[in-house]
Amino acid sequence: MIKDIFSQEVAQEVISRINKLQPDTPRQWGKMDVSQMLAHCNVTYGYTYEPEKFQRPNAFKRFILKAIVKPYVTGPKPYKAGVHTAPDFIIRDAREFQLEKEKLVANIEKTQKLGSAFFEGKENFSFGKMSADQWNTLFYKHLDHHLRQFGV
């Protein structure tokens, strides 16, 4: 069962895990360092809160995303270690650890405060309209995957 990122308790649990990270926390799999991972997690919130900063997928790509990727991203099955990521989510350049960490914590807090009612039926940049449960799964599963990647 996916935990409820919209609850204050779960949001604080995730933030506590983030606060255990250090700039030199080693990854257990993948290519990103911890600062890049934090920036990578912030892309999800960028898509949500600042979609104008990204190029919207064309109609064919949106169809593929909705038909194939959305069920995987919003379904209960955890991501596997080393799973491929979408090009917009690949962070190759160096990032400032503290800045990315603060931004991610602020994004989680904002999401929790907005609550599930705000997300019910809200349009997703790539996947179209989604239920609050689908948004919850998208947010929590992604964060949990990457926090486990760094052992927290």
Side-chain angles (χ1 to χ4, degrees):
M1 175 135 186
I2 302 293
K3 293 185 179 184
D4 183 6
I5 196 71
F6 300 123
S7 78
Q8 189 171 20
E9 179 183 6
V10 172
Q12 285 306 309
E13 173 192 310
V14 170
I15 291 168
S16 293
R17 290 168 68 190
I18 291 167
N19 285 331
K20 291 178 183 176
L21 295 168
Q22 298 298 315
D24 61 350
T25 301
R27 64 183 173 262
Q28 297 181 7
W29 70 79
K31 298 177 183 175
M32 295 182 287
D33 66 26
V34 67
S35 299
Q36 290 169 321
M37 177 275 288
L38 293 168
H40 165 88
C41 288
N42 278 317
V43 173
T44 302
Y45 296 96
Y47 268 29
T48 304
Y49 299 126
E50 303 172 301
E52 66 281 356
K53 291 186 176 183
F54 300 90
Q55 184 172 344
R56 195 158 186 84
N58 65 34
F60 177 73
K61 190 171 183 180
R62 277 195 315 272
F63 172 77
I64 297 299
L65 288 168
K66 286 179 187 180
I68 297 171
V69 180
K70 182 180 179 180
Y72 176 68
V73 170
T74 62
K77 189 174 180 182
Y79 299 133
K80 293 180 182 177
V83 69
H84 293 289
T85 192
D88 282 354
F89 286 78
I90 296 172
I91 308 295
R92 289 190 173 95
D93 56 327
R95 296 299 177 102
E96 167 57 42
F97 174 80
Q98 193 61 37
L99 178 71
E100 295 297 340
K101 179 180 160 185
E102 289 171 6
K103 185 176 178 182
L104 184 56
V105 168
N107 280 323
I108 293 166
E109 289 174 340
K110 177 178 182 175
T111 300
Q112 187 274 315
K113 286 177 184 161
L114 287 170
S116 62
F118 174 83
F119 287 93
E120 188 60 48
K122 181 173 174 54
E123 182 88 11
N124 177 277
F125 185 80
S126 300
F127 304 137
K129 287 190 178 187
M130 296 194 340
S131 69
D133 284 343
Q134 289 172 318
W135 279 101
N136 176 65
T137 300
L138 176 140
F139 288 133
Y140 184 83
K141 187 165 89 167
H142 188 238
L143 289 167
D144 182 62
H145 171 76
H146 287 294
L147 293 174
R148 286 186 293 107
Q149 179 186 13
F150 285 85
V152 297

